[in-house]
Amino acid sequence: MIPPIPPIPPGPPAPSTAPGVASSSSTTGFSGLLGSAVGALSSSQAAAQTASLGVAAGTESLSNYMITATQAEMTAELTVAVRNAAMTSLNQILNI
C-alpha cells in the first residue's frame, strides 16, 4: 500500500510591506502602503536633485547621478502605474 503524503509545513510569514518601502507602526493597509510609496517617491526625487547639484559642483560622480536619477524615474513610473490601476479599478466599481 502507498503511504499517505505528509502535510505541508507552514512557510515563513509574509512581509508586512513591499521590499524597499520603509515600514512604521502607523502604516496599515493600502492607504499606509500608498503613503509610504509617495514618501519614497519624494525622497528619491530629492536625492536625484541633490546628486545633480553635486555633479554641477564637481563633488558627485556622473555615474552616481545617473543611477540616482534612474531610480527616481522608475519610482515615478511605478507610482503613476499604480495610480492608473487604482483609477481603472475605481471606475469599474462605479460602473457596477
Side-chain angles (χ1 to χ4, degrees):
M1 180 167 188
I2 300 174
I5 298 174
I8 299 174
S16 60
T17 60
V21 177
S23 65
S24 68
S25 60
S26 65
T27 51
T28 57
F30 181 73
S31 64
L33 184 62
L34 190 59
S36 295
V38 170
L41 171 63
S42 177
S43 66
S44 68
Q45 288 177 338
Q49 183 177 9
T50 302
S52 70
L53 294 174
V55 168
T59 59
E60 185 77 32
S61 71
L62 183 60
S63 62
N64 285 342
Y65 163 70
M66 292 300 295
I67 291 169
T68 305
T70 302
Q71 287 175 342
E73 180 182 5
M74 291 178 69
T75 303
E77 288 176 5
L78 178 63
T79 303
V80 169
V82 169
R83 180 197 59 96
N84 290 344
M87 292 304 295
T88 300
S89 298
L90 178 63
N91 287 335
Q92 287 178 350
I93 290 171
L94 292 177
N95 288 333
I96 292 179

